[in-house]
Amino acid sequence: MTAGTTPATTVGRDRPAPSIVDFVVKYGVLLIFAVVLIVFSLVIDDFASMNTVTSILQAQTVAGIAALGMTLTAVVGDLDLSVGGIAGLSVTVAALAMIRYALTGGTAIVICLLAGLAAGCVNASLIVFLKIPPLLATLGTMFTAQGLKRWLVDGQTLVSGMTLPGSDQPMKGKFTDDFAAIDGSRLFGLPYSVYLFLILALVMWVFLERTRFGRLFYAVGGNPEAARLAGTRIQRYRFAAYAISGVLASIAGIILASRLRQGDVTAGDSTLLDAVAITLVGYAVLGARKPNAFGTFIGALFIGVVLYGLTRLQMSYYTQDLIKGLVLIFALMVSFSLRRRRRKAAASIPVVPGPEVAR
């Protein structure tokens, strides 16, 4: 180094000092989550109890599992808007299988899973082969599934003993005990449906974050052209993502059917918006700024706590929708706006030349 020259920072190694923006981007959602838990615990009797945890987890199993499927499709490029319709269709299919045709609970589950897989493959075919934009394709599948579930039962809610139009014989079938046990029976205080949600969330996290295939899913969504040039068959991964999303949505519908124990034609109508909120909140958890299974799980708990607390405070449903929307807006601001501001601030820092080596 030449005489009189002071050491300088090497080009590209200068980093802006940690700021409040960095802290909010990474921990903002978790901090708000903690504040909400503390406030509800202070103003609601028995909120901080195992019964509350169980109720929140059980209430969020349907939307949470549907959101896991939506997360996978978001990883490869877009959201699957058909998850609510597929979940509702599974409720109707399960009711038809057991109430109208008196089939076993296991048979009903298999039929529901096949229906979900078929719907997911329809989405995948429209997107991958016909090149229809994902939002439009899945929106069309959503409307088709919603219409189909009503057409199959002539627009009526199926219950044991009812008579469908055009028939003079009441349906003698009913939801079987083993099927009803999915959401109705407990193990160590938790419903089976909660264990299913936890297992699926863990499997999805391990798959996306700890396996080669999970990294390839991210590569397909992040830079499909680079993934293609690297030898990844991107169309297969996109097809698989929507097919898996359809199966997960049908699992959500199976849990909902087990909870309702009837073929409610309105079942699943609210699942889509809840799943979207959960998935997008997950973008902001720990500053991920990308779809991820851990963020989706935390998002499900966050939304569940907010809705449960507001319900206990006897707030109206439209007030709950308003607050849920504000929570979603906050999460998106944390995930995108603040991060973009931080990047602009980092880009504005002048580059300091590196040290010159004496010759």
Side-chain angles (χ1 to χ4, degrees), residues 93-275:
V93 169
L96 279 171
M98 287 179 285
I99 294 178
R100 185 168 186 177
Y101 298 107
L103 300 177
T104 64
T107 303
I109 291 173
V110 171
I111 296 174
C112 289
L113 292 176
L114 291 175
L117 177 61
C121 289
V122 168
N123 279 331
S125 298
L126 293 175
I127 295 165
V128 173
F129 300 127
L130 300 183
K131 309 300 181 184
I132 298 175
L135 290 181
L136 298 181
T138 57
L139 189 65
T141 303
M142 179 194 75
F143 285 125
T144 301
Q146 288 179 338
L148 182 59
K149 73 177 182 180
R150 289 172 170 82
W151 178 78
L152 288 172
V153 293
D154 293 322
Q156 300 186 56
T157 294
L158 275 185
V159 295
S160 183
M162 70 174 292
T163 302
L164 285 176
S167 175
D168 55 357
Q169 295 294 327
M171 292 178 289
K172 298 181 180 179
K174 65 175 184 177
F175 275 77
T176 61
D177 292 339
D178 56 346
F179 191 94
I182 296 173
D183 193 64
S185 296
R186 302 192 174 203
L187 179 65
F188 302 117
L190 292 177
Y192 293 155
S193 58
V194 172
Y195 288 106
L196 183 58
F197 177 35
L198 296 176
I199 291 171
L200 289 174
L202 179 61
V203 169
M204 184 67 74
W205 178 81
V206 171
F207 175 74
L208 288 176
E209 304 295 337
R210 293 292 184 268
T211 69
R212 172 178 173 271
F213 294 106
R215 290 190 290 272
L216 288 175
F217 269 98
Y218 275 114
V220 168
N223 193 331
E225 182 61 20
R228 185 186 67 80
L229 293 175
T232 303
R233 298 183 177 181
I234 60 175
Q235 303 295 22
R236 289 189 179 184
Y237 283 88
R238 298 184 74 197
F239 195 102
Y242 286 96
I244 294 172
S245 179
V247 173
L248 289 174
S250 69
I251 294 175
I254 289 170
I255 293 174
L256 187 56
S258 175
R259 183 176 304 166
L260 298 174
R261 302 185 189 185
Q262 62 180 16
D264 191 343
V265 292
T266 65
D269 289 351
S270 64
T271 302
L272 171 61
L273 295 181
D274 289 339

Side-chain angles (χ1 to χ4, degrees), residues 273-290:
L273 295 181
D274 289 339
V276 169
I278 289 169
T279 303
L280 295 182
V281 168
Y283 277 65
V285 174
L286 294 179
R289 203 171 175 265
K290 67 178 183 179

